[in-house]
Amino acid sequence: MRDILPPESDRWRAFVSVFAETVEAAGYGNLATPLMEDAGVFSRVGEATDIVQKEMYRFTDNGGRDVALRPEFTASICRAFVEHRPSTPWKVWTSGSNFRYERPQRGRYRQFDQVDIEVVGSDDPLVDVEVIALGWRFLERLGLRQVTLLLNSLGDTAERATYVDALRTYFEANLDALSAQSRETLARNPLRVLDSKREQDAPFTAAAPTIAEFYGADSGAHFETVRAGLDRLGIPYTIAPGLVRGLDYYVRTTFEFAGGTLDSAQNALGGGGRYDGLVEALGGPPTAAIGFALGVDRTLIACDDESVFAAPDSAVDVFVVDTTGGLEALVITEELRRAGLRADRAFDNRSMKSQMKAADRSGALYAVIIGETERDAGTATLRPLRGEGEQVVVPRAEVVATVTAATGG
Ligand code: HAM
């Protein structure tokens, strides 16, 4: 868990704003769910997953309830859907921190932030296309170029189950040759063995049966429409038959945005897919749904690697230097701020030289200077700190108007 200091924290906020603009322009409303819920809500993401088995911050509260900090948003959003029964399709977005007890390293933290959209209540493959396209366009808007969209379909619930059985049979036939970790994974979830990055497993994962052999007519057609939609929008993708994702609720379309500059273990900037059975598992009616989450921490690392989406300019417009005790600066900064300007000042009655240094560091375009001369004459000196321009002396009453005009306000 980390502190995020300014100006990096300003960058995080800007990131969420750009995401909000992107998805709100497509009709998604903002949803806020609790940071902590009944642990049962999150177990529905898959009892066999690492997230539920090993990574949940789960404890008994003072009232004896079994609760957990959210490890992701999707289960909470489905729980909220079941509780409030909004009209469908329900298009929502959210952002904030999630918690997983993972081994921390670059791009992997125990508290991390996500931005997320979900569409609940439609199985139209063109919804899949909209959701994927919004993720793609957002990453484009950040300026990222080295991103690959990986796309797969896991088939419907029954096809997925048949495929899992076929994989189990196949891997069991090669059990002795698999790595110890993969043998353990196999016992819990044969699909996840496909995720193995170990060299020892590579020949077997490469030759394993693929899900495409198991698609029925419906899921085959669904996947085809998703691909056709992405083609029409000119969004490039790579079919990745091994893309199984780390959560058990996925069926049909699954996808990931892989960053080109990150280590392969941490290269997923985000991902998502359909989870047509999750609402029902949480006590609602059978409901199709799809969404994705992007990791803020990791996507910003990718932005650093590609030198895009820098921290926004946090400079103030004007800095007030007052060597007469500080009360004049108090009043003038207040007037400037009320006029809508970003204004700062020095404290502790520093020397002129020290205050001018602070003015320079603040990034301000202008300094308003009040010394004894100005105070006695009822004036202020306005000095440009950046670029060309002459210093001027203005009547005290005209400071705000002059600074406003000078900064183009
Ligand atoms: P996920 O793949 O577990 O999916 O997480 C999505 C993204 O969150 C990852 O690609 C990564 O960028 C970021 N992330 C996950 N864990 C960490 C961590 N420990 N440290 C830093 N970043 C991390 C989900 O969470 C699904 N709920 C996505 C979804 C939404 N599927 C359908 N709707």
Side-chain angles (χ1 to χ4, degrees):
M1 293 171 188
R2 308 166 298 151
D3 301 309
I4 316 284
L5 306 183
E8 184 63 7
S9 50
D10 298 325
R11 192 180 182 211
W12 279 53
R13 213 170 37 163
F15 183 98
V16 176
S17 298
V18 174
F19 187 77
E21 269 170 36
T22 307
V23 299
E24 286 179 354
Y28 291 71
N30 184 230
L31 170 74
T33 59
L35 212 55
M36 187 169 71
E37 301 224 20
D38 187 295
V41 170
F42 303 121
S43 323
R44 300 309 198 295
V45 310
E47 289 289 0
T49 60
D50 283 352
I51 293 177
V52 173
Q53 291 249 320
K54 304 185 202 155
E55 296 171 2
M56 276 221 285
Y57 281 88
R58 183 173 184 167
F59 59 97
T60 306
D61 77 2
N62 290 348
R65 297 173 199 90
D66 178 19
V67 293
L69 298 183
R70 65 184 178 211
E72 59 121 42
F73 287 118
T74 312
S76 293
I77 292 173
C78 289
R79 193 267 313 136
F81 177 82
V82 172
E83 203 168 317
H84 305 288
R85 298 293 168 96
S87 54
T88 56
W90 196 41
K91 298 189 7 171
V92 291
W93 75 272
T94 193
S95 65
S97 294
N98 297 274
F99 302 84
R100 296 181 193 174
Y101 193 81
E102 298 203 73
R103 203 152 46 84
Q105 52 201 291
R106 185 171 187 256
R108 188 177 293 280
Y109 311 98
R110 289 181 173 163
Q111 176 174 348
F112 61 94
D113 273 36
Q114 288 183 339
V115 291
D116 179 293
I117 60 171
E118 311 288 348
V119 181
V120 185
S122 170
D123 70 354
D124 187 335
L126 295 182
V127 169
D128 307 30
V129 178
E130 171 171 302
V131 165
I132 297 169
L134 281 169
W136 184 260
R137 297 296 178 219
F138 169 67
L139 295 171
E140 260 181 0
R141 240 178 117 169
L142 295 178
L144 289 171
R145 291 288 169 268
Q146 298 183 46
V147 180
T148 308
L149 167 59
L150 302 173
L151 186 67
N152 192 19
S153 168
L154 294 173
D156 68 16
T157 312
E159 291 151 17
R160 183 189 149 122
T162 315
Y163 177 51
V164 169
D165 284 344
L167 274 182
R168 183 179 293 111
T169 309
Y170 165 80
F171 283 125
E172 275 172 359
N174 297 290
L175 199 60
D176 294 340
L178 291 179
S179 66
Q181 292 90 337
S182 284
R183 285 201 296 270
E184 196 195 309
T185 310
L186 179 61
R188 285 193 282 127
N189 183 351
L191 272 180
R192 300 301 310 276
V193 179
L194 294 176
D195 250 358
S196 165
K197 307 250 166 21
R198 288 178 196 87
E199 232 166 75
Q200 188 182 346
D201 299 320
F204 303 99
T205 52
T210 59
I211 178 64
E213 300 159 35
F214 297 82
Y215 294 154
D218 284 356
S219 40
H222 186 102
F223 196 33
E224 209 132 283
T225 308
V226 173
R227 295 165 59 166
L230 291 170
D231 291 340
R232 281 291 289 276
L233 295 181
I235 296 178
Y237 54 84
T238 303
I239 298 294
L243 179 71
V244 298
R245 313 257 312 120
L247 298 141
D248 279 354
Y249 49 57
Y250 291 115
V251 290
R252 299 205 274 187
T253 312
T254 52
F255 56 96
E256 228 163 67
F257 300 105
T261 60
L262 291 97
D263 287 350
S264 68
Q266 260 79 244
N267 76 346
L269 306 181
R274 284 208 157 267
Y275 47 92
D276 294 345
L278 186 56
V279 169
E280 198 177 359
L282 285 159
T287 308
I290 181 166
F292 71 77
L294 285 171
V296 179
D297 313 64
R298 218 175 271 181
T299 306
L300 285 176
I301 292 177
C303 288
D304 286 339
D305 291 346
E306 291 201 40
S307 304
V308 297
F309 201 69
D313 183 9
S314 61
V316 293
D317 299 311
V318 50
F319 196 96
V320 181
V321 170
D322 174 2
T323 55
T324 70
L327 266 180
E328 280 304 308
L330 180 76
V331 175
I332 296 174
T333 47
E334 165 92 356
E335 286 172 6
L336 289 163
R337 289 169 191 167
R338 287 176 64 151
L341 288 154
R342 291 176 299 175
D344 200 1
R345 56 163 296 182
F347 291 101
D348 301 318
N349 214 5
R350 297 259 164 84
S351 68
M352 172 69 119
K353 192 170 163 211
S354 151
Q355 291 195 43
M356 286 309 298
K357 248 193 208 158
D360 202 48
R361 263 201 312 272
S362 76
L365 295 171
Y366 291 93
V368 171
I369 302 165
I370 308 279
E372 314 254 306
T373 320
E374 286 89 350
R375 185 194 53 198
D376 294 345
T379 59
T381 298
L382 184 58
R383 181 184 297 175
L385 298 174
R386 306 266 178 276
E388 313 276 287
E390 292 291 308
Q391 170 169 313
V392 290
V393 177
V394 297
R396 170 71 184 75
E398 287 170 24
V399 167
V400 172
T402 313
V403 174
T404 304
T407 56

